[in-house]
Structure formats: C-alpha cells, structure tokens
Amino acid sequence: QVRLVESGGGSVQAGGSLRLSCAASERPTSKWVLAWFRQPPGKEREFVALIRYHGGSAFYADSVKGRFTVSRNNPENMMYLQMNSLKAEDTAVYYCAVGTQYESIARAYDYWGQGTQVTVSS
C-alpha cells in the first residue's frame, strides 16, 4: 500500500503562484505514472497533469497548460506541481495520485493522497 501526502496548499490572490508537493511512502517503480487531479467546489474530480516516473514528456489539461508544471524528484520519492498565474477557477482540492497507466482519468490510478486545498481570490 503506497501512501501519498500532499502539502503546499493555501490561499493566494489571482496571478500568484503556489508549489504543491507530494511525498510517497516508498520508492516508485519504473512503471509508475504520477498525476495531479483537482476537485473544484461542487464539481467532479478533474485531471490536471501527469508524468512518468522514469521521465519523458509531461501531459497537461488544456486549462492549465503553460501555467502549471509537474515534476518529480525520484531519489526523494517526491512529486511537485508548480502553479503560476493562478486564476479563481483554479480553486479546488488538489490530489496527487499514482498508477501504472498513462491516462488522464481518475479510475486509472490506484493510490491517492488526502488532498490539499488551494484557494485563489480574484
């Protein structure tokens, strides 16, 4: 059982930046795909970004492309989401997730963190 813990959420004004972190309880395997999802208030969980553990191109939702950057630090079992030029519509609970499929759908992921709140005020 892999445990994931997110941190770095908070409140920020529109145009600001935040960096989310996700710590994994064990060293990822080469098959892992690391992803970020979010759930805005009153809406369903939606895909944000993903990256393979062993490298390669990241993949982003159109709504965050050019503003968010996903990365990982393999030796430290960490994943990050750098969020710039934040907008009010980025307000959501953000979750990190781990799976073995290169997919942007939530059900493809096996392990989830507890989520961290990001609030962007306009």
Side-chain angles (χ1 to χ4, degrees):
Q1 183 78 10
V2 178
R3 286 176 284 114
L4 302 173
V5 179
E6 302 97 338
S7 60
S11 298
V12 65
Q13 290 194 331
S17 298
L18 282 174
R19 187 194 195 205
L20 304 184
S21 300
C22 176
S25 61
E26 62 186 63
R27 183 178 298 278
T29 73
S30 60
K31 296 181 181 179
W32 279 22
V33 176
L34 314 175
W36 289 94
F37 286 79
R38 67 186 182 186
Q39 188 162 14
K43 297 184 179 181
E44 294 187 352
R45 194 168 299 190
E46 62 186 32
F47 169 74
V48 175
L50 64 80
I51 190 169
R52 294 187 190 274
Y53 167 73
H54 63 72
S57 299
F59 179 67
Y60 298 92
D62 288 343
S63 58
V64 307
K65 200 173 296 182
R67 300 188 298 121
F68 290 12
T69 303
V70 61
S71 62
R72 77 263 186 271
N73 184 330
N74 293 350
E76 296 185 358
N77 302 346
M78 295 291 294
M79 179 171 65
Y80 305 98
L81 185 68
Q82 178 67 43
M83 306 186 295
N84 299 327
S85 303
L86 283 161
K87 306 175 181 180
E89 51 263 43
D90 294 318
T91 294
V93 177
Y94 283 72
Y95 300 87
C96 61
V98 168
T100 57
Q101 300 179 60
Y102 195 81
E103 295 283 354
S104 59
I105 53 175
R107 65 174 181 268
Y109 292 83
D110 303 308
Y111 303 104
W112 292 82
Q114 82 288 350
T116 185
Q117 176 70 46
V118 171
T119 302
V120 184
S121 57
S122 57

